[in-house]
Amino acid sequence: MPPPQPAAPRTPDPPPPPAAAVFHIQGVTKVYRMGDVQVHALRGVDLDLYAGEFVVVLGPSGSGKSTLLNILGGLDVPTSGEVHYLDHNLTAAGDAALTRFRREHVGFVFQFYNLIPSLTALENVALVTEIAEHPMDPAAALRLVDLGDRLNHFPAQLSGGEQQRVAIARAVAKRPEVLLCDEPTGALDYTTGKLVLEVLERVNREVGTIVAIITHNAAIAGMADRVVRMSSGMVAGIQRNVKKISPSELSW
Amino acid sequence: MSALHRKLIRDLIHMRGQLFAVTLVLACGIATYVTMRSSFFSLEAAQFDYYSQFRFGDVFTHLKRAPESLAAAITAIPGVAAVQTRVLMDVTLDVPGLDEPATGRLISIPERRAPMLNDLFLRQGRYIEPGQRGEVLISEAFASANRLGVGDSLDAVLNGKWERLHIVGIALSPEFIYEIRPSEVFPDNRRFGVLWMSRDVLGPAFNMEGAFNDVVISLTHGASEREVISRLDQLLDRYGCLGAYGRQDQISFRFLTDELEELRVYGSILPTLFLCIVAFLLNVLLSRLVGTQRGQVAVLKAFGYTNWEIGLHYLQLALVAVTAGTLAGIGAGLWLASSLIKIYERYFHFPALQLHIDAPLILTAVAIAAGSACLGAVSAVRRAVALAPAEAMRPEPPATFRPGLLERIGLRALLTPASRMIVRNLDRRRWRAVFSSLAVALSIAIVVSGRYAMDAVDRLVSIQFHTVQREDVTVVFQEPRSAHVRFELAQLAGVLRVEPFREIPVRLRLGHRWRLIAVLGLLPDAELRRPIDSQLHPLTLPADGLVLNTKLAEILGARPGDILTVEVLEGARPVLQIPLVSLADEPVGLGAYMDLSALHRLMREGDTISGAYMKVDPAIAPRLYSVLKRIPAISGVSVREAMLASFWKTFGESMGVSTAFLVGFASVIAFGVVYNGARIALSERGNELASLRVLGLTRAEITRILLGEQGLLTIAAIPAGFALGFALSLLLSRFFSRDLFRLPLVVNAGTYAFAALVVFAAAIFSGLVVARRLRHMDLTAVLKSRE
């Protein structure tokens, strides 16, 4: 495979020491109304994310990890507390500001890929690069995820793993500061899932994007710089991995 | 209530917007059906009842003068059931409050009321009393147009003497359901009216004592109209008979019958179009519903619900919408029909014109609605039934796409990914796109063809009354006069130009085809009345020979060069052979023209004229009119502007109403199609769009993607709609190519623009209604959903 062109090679290990936090979250709570019930999804979360980090957020369903991801990604605003991205205050941002934030800084990877079925792999990526300021070449982004030979395939012609890699390429191609992945392997089989994790690891290593994966699969935690455990809407613990395991060595 | 019924109700509530749109289109279809059919039946029933109760004649003729004793000979013709001899005269009337002279058609009635053919319905007042000289009954249309009532009086010239006529009753006759001056197309009830007076008064006044000049005949059942007409013509030939004719050529019958035919045609075409669209919309709607409810179908089947129960469940959904639409449509239809009947009452004068509603009509409406719903629902329901439970448990297989047509022909580079999405989505559901676009095109076509009628009438009026008939006033003499009368007319204050004309009633024959018509002799250099060719250029009348207008030539099967047999029905009644030299092409009536002096030569008569066209000074026209009223020799005066004004008033109003309806219908179709299309697109691609929002596209950007499809379909529909509208207009112009008038095929640019604008506005409105839903899109849900 040809080396990805736009990504400057970086020293893979050790991770850079935490500098200034890119994301700064403090005292965040989120209360939903679900019908007649009030759901306290987050009950005071403090968390910082640092440049170049690979973070895995672990927790059972209902622990609040998805809500946390939504708030980080600018899909939702907290009921109370503070959310800062660099010098942007996202705490009370409106729809337009959040859209701009997502457009400029965030890459999303969904559990079910959410590709546009009517667009080819290349076009799915181009859809996002066209609205980005300094995007990669869409073909280069696809080569980065080892799909250089599938550029003109429609989603229906790709396997689940391939679709998820297109989704990653789409998320990465605009050079976001952060890649937020919601159960990226949830719909994939074991081998394919590991392949996708390898791609995420490579993007983190080669492009320097912050990668945050939320999952209930504890085995993934091994490849992270830091593991955030969530439970009942609170951060139950943050653990720094002394030695990161490469995705190929993970098993579940 | 069963659980499945509860599901039905919830689904209905959930899909209320889309069902409402379908219901609306259906209601329009049923409403047009009910309106047109019930109006048709009402008019037809009123016509039938009126004709039979008041003994409308079957054969009619006018003659110069025949002794009353001839009535027995007429009765003796085989096939004749009853004979009514009459005295009929056109006279000038002085109506209080009217500047211009009016024309009264005086018809004799027995002095003592007795049953007669073309019997009278007395709306108000009483029948004339024997021995009361000045008593008349007047037609209701004329009475109400001039606000005349029982007890009022008006003046008329009766054979050279002014007489005051006292109105004792307001009446109607089956002969004048459509009350119009002969040889005109537009009724002008202010200036033309029918008056009935005692035969004992009318006869002596016009030298018709013991004589008659008009006959109405009814036929026995199964008699041959042709046979009776030909016998009658023979019998009356030496009495100056103008030729007998049947109901088909009776002007009021003809207008009414044409109108009924029109209603019948519209009443089947319009509803059919609507109901096809309903079937299409329901099909798309239910297919999508079954698609999204695959899982539910699977579960129901897994629990043991039968295919029948599940099929019925989805069919019921369609039927609920249909029931609502049908009820609304029937209600609206009946209401519309009663308004349409009111409009008809202004044109057609019946003793009673009531909305005729019967159960079969309503049941047919219901059956048609149910039929169109089932037609639309059946394939979708079949898909639900055919789903195997295990297969239905799995989500629908992902849609397969391929590069769209534009890209395949190499225009790929022109398209952004967003526009490629639009193009490919349309391409994938090609037929749906084609039908949607076609439906929108149809709504454009409906508006175009509706406005076409207005354009065409506008054009017709401008051709006929600004190019062909340029006179301000036409005067017709009681009897042909010496041509020097024209100089007397020219002397009158206010008359700027006088052009005499000679009108000779003839039977025009070519082979076995014939037609009663008046040949019009005109000055070769006439400016006020000039036949025109198909390019609208004035025709120079040939020094010899006939010019016919194309419709008359078509009826006779005549072509220039043919020799026509002209049986003159006046004077010495010569039978002449005259060549057809060229064709004229005016939009109104049947016309035969000759050079005035050529006509005189053929008739072996001196310089004789039947009347004159005049240009008058509008400033002193009223004074001229009052002078004209006083000239006994004049039997009729018609004023072009007054006639046109009265026409535009009635026609303009009814046209306004019908345009409003067509615009409403077209908007409903466009709304229904675009709204449903956008809702389906939203349902199919909601997840895609939400994902795009998550990826940072703005709401405006995804709105463009969502509505782009509908926008493209609407834009594609515009040329198609124009073409379809033109084709419909062409059909209409063919349909309205009648003896009485022919609609020219002109569709103004403004009409196209208006139609496009109406449909675009409806499309944009529906697009915006759907786009509002994008505001409430749940972005976080898509992260988790698999669709």
Side-chain angles (χ1 to χ4, degrees), chain B residues 7 11 292-301 310 314 392:
Chain B
K7 173 180 176 313
D11 285 346
T292 50
Q293 296 195 344
R294 280 169 72 93
Q296 301 179 29
V297 172
V299 169
L300 289 174
K301 286 191 175 176
I310 289 169
Y314 286 103

Side-chain angles (χ1 to χ4, degrees), chain A residues 66 69-70 75-76 95 99 102-103 106-108 110-120 123 126-128 130-131 152 154 156-157 170-171 174 182-183 187 214, chain B residues 398-403 407 412 415-418 420-422 424-425 685 687-699 701 705 779-780 782-786:
Chain A
S66 289
L69 186 92
N70 292 344
L75 293 173
D76 210 345
D95 183 59
T99 302
R102 293 199 300 272
R103 193 173 179 131
V106 188
F108 276 98
F110 309 100
Q111 179 175 4
F112 297 108
Y113 341 128
N114 295 41
L115 295 179
I116 305 301
S118 55
L119 295 181
T120 61
E123 290 161 349
L127 191 67
V128 172
E130 281 181 6
I131 58 167
N152 292 318
F154 284 95
Q157 299 166 315
R170 178 175 69 178
K174 65 177 174 188
D182 194 347
E183 299 279 9
I214 65 165
Chain B
T400 47
F401 284 89
R402 53 182 195 147
E407 302 166 60
R412 178 176 207 133
L415 300 172
T416 61
R420 278 180 217 164
M421 284 175 72
I422 293 171
R424 287 177 196 161
N425 280 320
R685 284 187 272 298
N687 252 29
E688 273 175 59
L689 297 174
S691 308
L692 292 179
R693 282 284 279 141
V694 172
L695 294 178
L697 272 74
T698 61
R699 197 158 63 218
E701 284 162 341
I705 293 175
L779 298 189
T780 55
V782 311
L783 296 173
K784 286 291 177 196
S785 75
R786 156 158 225 146

Side-chain angles (χ1 to χ4, degrees), chain B residues 717-743:
Chain B
I718 288 177
F722 287 174
L724 218 60
F726 184 80
L728 265 182
S729 307
L730 181 76
L731 274 181
L732 284 178
S733 78
R734 289 276 159 82
F735 181 67
F736 284 106
S737 171
R738 301 194 175 139
D739 304 3
L740 301 168
F741 63 91
R742 291 158 301 276
L743 289 186

Side-chain angles (χ1 to χ4, degrees), chain B residues 500-504 519-526 529 531 539-548 576 578-579 581-582 592-609:
Chain B
F501 66 88
R502 175 76 170 107
E503 213 169 15
I504 295 178
V519 174
L520 189 59
L522 297 171
L523 291 176
D525 58 345
R529 174 70 66 108
L539 266 175
T540 317
L541 288 174
D544 265 309
L546 270 169
V547 172
L548 301 188
L576 307 165
I578 306 180
V581 178
S582 56
Y593 305 95
M594 273 188 90
D595 178 81
L596 184 58
S597 37
L599 192 59
H600 286 145
R601 275 199 307 281
L602 282 172
M603 288 295 291
R604 295 169 194 281
E605 65 180 14
D607 212 358
T608 312
I609 60 175

Side-chain angles (χ1 to χ4, degrees), chain B residues 422-683:
Chain B
I422 293 171
V423 171
R424 287 177 196 161
N425 280 320
L426 289 175
D427 194 43
R428 192 169 91 85
R429 303 243 186 229
R430 216 164 302 152
W431 288 111
R432 191 159 92 190
V434 168
F435 281 124
S436 301
S437 205
L438 217 56
V440 176
L442 203 62
S443 66
I444 294 176
I446 288 178
V447 181
V448 169
S449 65
R451 291 271 301 207
Y452 156 70
M454 224 139 94
D455 291 350
V457 170
D458 206 46
R459 185 63 169 279
L460 178 148
V461 167
S462 115
I463 296 175
Q464 186 68 28
F465 298 101
H466 297 117
T467 311
V468 180
Q469 297 179 231
R470 293 139 52 94
E471 74 280 0
D472 296 322
V473 176
T474 306
V475 294
V476 180
F477 305 131
Q478 198 75 255
E479 296 281 328
R481 299 258 150 185
S482 163
H484 70 79
V485 177
R486 63 184 285 200
F487 301 111
E488 289 168 29
L489 285 172
Q491 297 290 312
L492 298 175
V495 174
L496 302 176
R497 187 184 173 90
V498 178
E499 287 180 6
F501 66 88
R502 175 76 170 107
E503 213 169 15
I504 295 178
V506 302
R507 184 181 291 111
L508 215 51
R509 211 184 263 285
L510 181 69
H512 63 283
R513 305 194 199 185
W514 58 270
R515 189 86 196 184
L516 293 170
I517 188 95
V519 174
L520 189 59
L522 297 171
L523 291 176
D525 58 345
E527 278 187 9
L528 297 182
R529 174 70 66 108
R530 328 178 279 189
I532 49 166
D533 63 17
S534 55
Q535 304 303 309
L536 308 184
H537 299 311
L539 266 175
T540 317
L541 288 174
D544 265 309
L546 270 169
V547 172
L548 301 188
N549 69 17
T550 39
K551 187 67 189 180
L552 180 55
E554 181 193 309
I555 290 171
L556 294 172
R559 274 187 305 219
D562 288 344
I563 307 287
L564 299 169
T565 305
V566 181
E567 303 172 21
V568 176
L569 303 173
E570 196 185 286
R573 301 173 78 85
V575 175
L576 307 165
Q577 304 292 322
I578 306 180
L580 169 58
V581 178
S582 56
L583 296 179
D585 207 356
E586 66 255 340
V588 169
L590 300 176
Y593 305 95
M594 273 188 90
D595 178 81
L596 184 58
S597 37
L599 192 59
H600 286 145
R601 275 199 307 281
L602 282 172
M603 288 295 291
R604 295 169 194 281
E605 65 180 14
D607 212 358
T608 312
I609 60 175
S610 315
Y613 303 119
M614 306 197 294
K615 187 138 208 84
V616 304
D617 180 353
I620 41 179
R623 257 177 45 210
L624 175 67
Y625 295 145
S626 63
V627 174
L628 287 176
K629 283 179 195 171
R630 308 273 143 188
I631 299 178
I634 294 176
S635 70
V637 176
S638 64
V639 179
R640 192 190 56 166
E641 281 310 315
M643 187 263 294
L644 282 181
S646 118
F647 164 70
W648 280 124
K649 188 168 172 288
T650 6
F651 178 78
E653 277 173 32
S654 36
M655 222 44 215
V657 172
S658 84
T659 304
F661 278 120
L662 289 175
V663 165
F665 287 150
S667 310
V668 165
I669 294 180
F671 167 77
V673 172
V674 174
Y675 177 81
N676 256 312
R679 282 297 300 270
I680 298 283
L682 179 60
S683 138

Side-chain angles (χ1 to χ4, degrees), chain B residues 134-156:
Chain B
E135 287 191 353
V136 290
L137 306 172
I138 69 170
S139 62
E140 187 179 49
F142 184 60
S144 43
N146 285 298
R147 298 174 197 284
L148 292 172
V150 172
D152 290 338
S153 53
L154 42 83
D155 296 334

